[in-house]
Amino acid sequence: MNQFTASLWGDEAFSAILSMKSIPKIVSIVARDTSPPLYNLSEHLWFKIFGSGEVAIRLLSFLYFLVAVFFTYKIGKHFWNRKTGILAAVLTFLNQFFFIYAFEGRMYSLLAATVAASMYFFLSKKWTGYVVATALALYSHHFAIFALFIQFLWFLKEFFLGRKKV
């Protein structure tokens, strides 16, 4: 058994069933749950187009994983060069821990994609993209607040020490 053939487990099934409900019902239920609603809302729309089978559920998460890999490339290229960006993207793609979560029908890949996008836009000072990506990150999982904390520390470093290449 692997990520391609494993059946849905409890939390994935909960997310899938929740995402089949109406948008107001999703928001109502998620308001009493532990995670923000963005993943379930996107999965709801995804189901309307691609159906709600196991492959469709996992494909959505895998696409978010690919977005995270893309923004990892962009961060590496921004800091160093194209080769470094490609290496960073390949290492991210091949990361066994992350790869397992890339196929899980939960919000983890969406969190990684939106945080990676937020980091890229923050570092490249593209503020519109930053605000949108950060808002999406915060609506995907509460742990996105840790990315904001790191960005705040980075801001303080640049404010007090200047923009030295690190």
Side-chain angles (χ1 to χ4, degrees):
M1 186 179 329
N2 59 40
Q3 286 79 14
F4 299 104
T5 60
S7 294
L8 295 179
W9 64 284
D11 282 353
E12 287 178 301
F14 170 77
S15 286
I17 291 168
L18 175 61
S19 298
M20 291 176 195
K21 299 185 180 307
S22 69
I23 290 176
K25 190 73 173 167
I26 291 170
V27 172
S28 170
I29 292 170
V30 169
R32 292 173 276 151
D33 192 24
T34 60
S35 296
L38 184 60
Y39 180 79
N40 296 106
L41 296 173
S42 68
E43 190 173 47
H44 174 84
L45 299 173
W46 182 261
F47 286 171
K48 297 269 188 214
I49 300 167
F50 298 103
S52 58
E54 287 182 29
V55 172
I57 291 167
R58 295 220 166 106
L59 183 58
L60 176 62
S61 292
F62 186 71
L63 290 175
Y64 288 137
F65 168 73
L66 293 178
V67 170
V69 170
F70 171 74
F71 278 106
T72 301
Y73 161 78
K74 297 288 283 178
I75 291 168
K77 183 180 173 193
H78 173 77
F79 272 120
W80 292 280
N81 57 40
R82 186 174 177 270
K83 261 195 223 181
T84 304
I86 290 170
L87 178 63
V90 167
L91 291 174
T92 301
F93 185 83
L94 296 176
N95 180 307
Q96 187 177 8
F97 180 77
F98 192 21
F99 195 77
I100 290 169
Y101 282 96
F103 293 93
E104 191 164 306
R106 295 285 287 155
M107 81 295 294
Y108 307 116
S109 288
L110 176 59
L111 172 65
T114 55
V115 165
S118 172
M119 287 295 190
Y120 168 71
F121 291 126
F122 174 79
L123 295 169
S124 60
K125 304 204 180 324
K126 296 179 180 178
W127 301 118
T128 303
Y130 171 72
V131 168
V132 170
T134 303
L136 292 174
L138 291 169
Y139 275 97
S140 66
H141 199 285
H142 303 299
F143 286 175
I145 197 76
F146 294 115
L148 284 175
F149 178 70
I150 295 301
Q151 291 165 352
F152 176 70
L153 292 178
W154 190 276
F155 170 79
L156 290 177
K157 179 207 79 78
E158 285 190 350
F159 184 79
F160 290 110
L161 303 176
R163 294 186 66 194
K164 299 174 189 170
K165 187 151 185 160
V166 178

